[in-house]
Amino acid sequence: MKTLAISTLTICGIEELPGNSAREVTHVLSVLDPDRAEIEAFGAYGTHERVTLRFHDIIDPAPDRIMPAPGHVAEILGFGEGLRASAVGRKAGHLLVHCHMGISRSTAAMLTLMAQADPHEGEDALFARLREIRPQAWPNSVMVGFADEQLGRHGRLTEALGRHYAHQIAAQPKFRTWMNDLGRKRELEMAV
């Protein structure tokens, strides 16, 4: 994300946040469950800009749960625009994106930011970069669908997501059982 003067990209889960406190994080995007208490780990971080979004990691409506919505992805893109606007005069930066486990919402958010920052980069290349940052990435398909639409990628991000899922299942077969148990069979069916 050189266009944003961000030299380091990190994706993690909540339990990993304390281990990143000494890594000179300059920007944080937190994606949390709506009822999650504020995270104390950020008290040990240096000066940084932080935006927090709150919705559940689901792909189908469920009682008392907040689905990812187009507005959430628009807020992620707004965060990305803020990074672009603040890049003037910044030589380097460290962007940390996290959710509960650092697997689904945070990886979808990071993919969105990377696709926004590098609009000409191919979709499969974006997913390959995402796997380099977070090998266990399984981006939330609903979020990726909204990003695809809002970034004008005409279905290409969603198609590449299916190939990414297939790659992840081949590399880490546990994903098949795990996502099935989480009720995300539709994402497993996307794998091609």
Side-chain angles (χ1 to χ4, degrees):
M1 303 217 321
K2 293 177 184 174
T3 56
L4 303 179
I6 298 291
S7 54
T8 305
L9 303 176
T10 299
I11 300 170
C12 71
I14 292 172
E15 290 184 6
E16 299 165 89
L17 288 172
N20 284 291
S21 64
R23 298 189 61 216
E24 299 180 7
V25 172
T26 58
H27 299 82
V28 176
L29 178 60
S30 296
V31 185
L32 300 170
D33 289 348
D35 56 349
R36 174 76 190 195
E38 184 54 43
I39 297 174
E40 295 178 13
F42 291 114
Y45 280 52
T47 302
H48 64 278
E49 296 178 30
R50 181 172 173 231
V51 169
T52 302
L53 303 177
R54 292 185 177 270
F55 54 91
H56 292 101
D57 184 25
I58 55 177
I59 62 169
D60 293 304
D64 302 317
R65 309 285 263 168
I66 297 173
M67 282 280 296
H72 296 125
V73 172
E75 288 184 72
I76 293 166
L77 292 170
F79 178 80
E81 284 301 318
L83 289 174
R84 182 183 318 277
S86 67
V88 176
R90 184 173 60 230
K91 293 180 182 174
H94 182 170
L95 169 62
L96 183 146
V97 180
H98 82 90
C99 60
H100 188 79
M101 297 291 294
I103 294 174
S104 181
R105 290 172 291 180
S106 56
T107 61
M110 183 66 84
L111 178 77
T112 298
L113 293 169
M114 292 187 318
Q116 177 188 37
D118 297 313
H120 301 295
E121 184 162 8
E123 290 75 19
D124 290 315
L126 288 167
F127 280 102
R129 283 178 50 205
L130 183 67
R131 288 190 297 272
E132 288 175 11
I133 299 166
R134 191 71 169 170
Q136 63 268 50
W138 188 276
N140 181 294
S141 61
V142 173
M143 293 175 66
V144 172
F146 294 141
D148 195 336
E149 182 178 328
Q150 291 178 32
L151 291 169
R153 294 260 178 163
H154 306 288
R156 294 187 308 271
L157 270 180
T158 302
E159 290 171 8
L161 178 61
R163 293 187 293 276
H164 169 78
Y165 286 158
H167 177 278
Q168 293 300 76
I169 291 168
Q172 302 179 59
K174 67 181 178 186
F175 270 120
R176 186 174 297 284
T177 301
W178 192 13
M179 292 302 146
N180 194 51
D181 291 348
L182 290 172
R184 293 171 76 153
K185 185 176 181 182
R186 189 161 44 91
E187 289 178 337
L188 291 170
E189 292 169 351
M190 289 174 66
V192 291

